[in-house]
Structure formats: structure tokens, C-alpha cells
Amino acid sequence: MMTRTLILSIFCLFLLVSASAQHQVDSLKNLLNQSRNADTQRVKLYIALSDEYCDIDSDLGLQYSDSAISLSKKLKDENLTGSSYLSKGKNYAQKGEISSAQANYFKAFNIFKKTKNLENEAVCSHNLAYTYSITGNNRKAIELETRSYKILMQLGNKKKAVNALNSIGVNYFYLSNFRTA
């Protein structure tokens, strides 16, 4: 009896989460349909849809990120182009296409470095670190995560800095360096 109740509860929770995600996607699509002009708001909507579809349908997420890249380049908005590449990298990572994810993260990283967008530079370093960690290159992951941590502390973003610090510890753990972890 208890097992059935637990399974039913998990199923209901899954339905609630799915319905919430679908509502968010529908809201973003409605806003996109209302935004007819080729402007920064439209790029932001493409990026938001790309991010939302990352866990639902990465192929569709990639299509939205490509639309964001194309439009942001046309608008000559480098930060939005960087955010578009960042989103594209997330979708590739979700699909398990790590080399494509890294290529897009590096494009985003270089743009954010050029525009001095430190927070997004830190996000790119963190995402790159994740890709190196899952491929077993923990030393490179630590290097990138340390970079992310330093930037985030400099910006006073302690919440994200704690996530970077946690990832550093996990990577040291994977290297069996328990004392440093």
C-alpha cells in the first residue's frame, strides 16, 4: 500500500513539473509570436526558449539558439551573441555532444572576455569545467572552476561562488586528493 502511494506521489510530482515547464514554454512562445520586430527582446526570447528546451528537446533548443545567434549577429550585439553560444553549448552538453558543447562555450567565453562581461565569463568557465570533469580531465576542470570562483568572489556573487567551490572539491575528490577536496 505504501509503495503504491509513493509511486502515485512521484507520478503526480512529475506531472506538476512537466505542466509547469510546458506553461513556461507556452508563455515564451506567445511572447515570441507577439514580438515581430528583429530586436534584442526577440533574441532574449530565443535564448530563453533554447534554455527551456534544453531538458525537454535539445534539438529544438539548438534551433532556437541558432536563431538567437543569427539575429544577435545581425543586431551586432556581442553580449547577446555570447549568451546565444552559451545556450547552444548547454543544449549540446545535454545531448552528450561534449566537443560541440565546448566549442560553443569557448566562443561565448571569448566574446564575454572581449566585452568584459565578467559574470558570464565565470558562467562559461563553470560550464567548460563541467565538460572537462565529465570527460575525466579533472585538473583542467579545477583550473577553470578556480577561475570562475575568483571572478564570482570579485563580483560578490557568493551563491554562485559556492557552487564553483563545491565543483572544485568534487574534482579533487575524483583525483583522490581527499585532503584538498
Side-chain angles (χ1 to χ4, degrees):
M1 178 70 173
M2 221 162 131
T3 304
R4 270 190 0 198
T5 304
L6 179 63
I7 291 172
L8 183 60
S9 297
I10 291 171
F11 180 72
C12 288
L13 182 62
F14 174 75
L15 286 177
L16 284 172
V17 170
S18 296
S20 174
Q22 187 59 48
H23 176 71
Q24 179 70 10
V25 167
D26 290 343
S27 296
L28 290 169
K29 282 183 174 179
N30 285 335
L31 288 171
L32 185 64
N33 289 333
Q34 293 170 9
S35 173
R36 296 286 177 218
N37 299 330
D39 61 5
T40 57
Q41 185 61 31
R42 193 164 182 81
V43 176
K44 290 176 184 177
L45 289 169
Y46 283 140
I47 293 168
L49 281 162
S50 176
D51 288 344
E52 283 296 320
Y53 273 110
C54 185
D55 292 327
I56 302 168
D57 181 351
S58 296
D59 290 323
L60 193 51
L62 288 168
Q63 290 174 23
Y64 279 114
S65 63
D66 285 336
S67 295
I69 290 166
S70 176
L71 184 53
S72 64
K73 284 182 174 181
K74 187 187 300 184
L75 296 170
K76 296 180 170 83
D77 189 319
E78 289 186 90
N79 276 308
L80 284 177
T81 302
S83 294
S84 302
Y85 281 117
L86 181 60
S87 184
K88 189 171 185 175
K90 290 177 199 173
N91 279 280
Y92 274 123
Q94 182 67 22
K95 288 177 58 113
E97 296 181 26
I98 302 306
S99 61
S100 295
Q102 288 174 334
N104 282 280
Y105 289 151
F106 275 119
K107 286 178 184 178
F109 178 84
N110 290 329
I111 290 170
F112 294 135
K113 191 164 179 66
K114 177 182 170 190
T115 62
K116 295 179 176 35
N117 186 331
L118 291 175
E119 186 164 356
N120 280 336
E121 188 180 323
V123 170
C124 287
S125 290
H126 173 74
N127 289 5
L128 278 165
Y130 169 75
T131 64
Y132 282 103
S133 180
I134 63 173
T135 58
N137 191 343
N138 302 99
R139 294 195 193 288
K140 183 69 173 175
I142 291 167
E143 175 189 323
L144 288 162
E145 210 61 87
T146 300
R147 177 186 182 84
S148 178
Y149 173 77
K150 287 178 181 176
I151 292 170
L152 292 166
M153 288 303 290
Q154 176 187 341
L155 295 173
N157 192 334
K158 293 180 181 178
K159 185 177 179 182
K160 285 186 179 178
V162 166
N163 290 336
L165 198 57
N166 181 59
S167 294
I168 292 168
V170 167
N171 279 286
Y172 275 120
F173 178 81
Y174 289 151
L175 291 172
S176 299
N177 190 338
F178 304 117
R179 188 164 257 154
T180 307

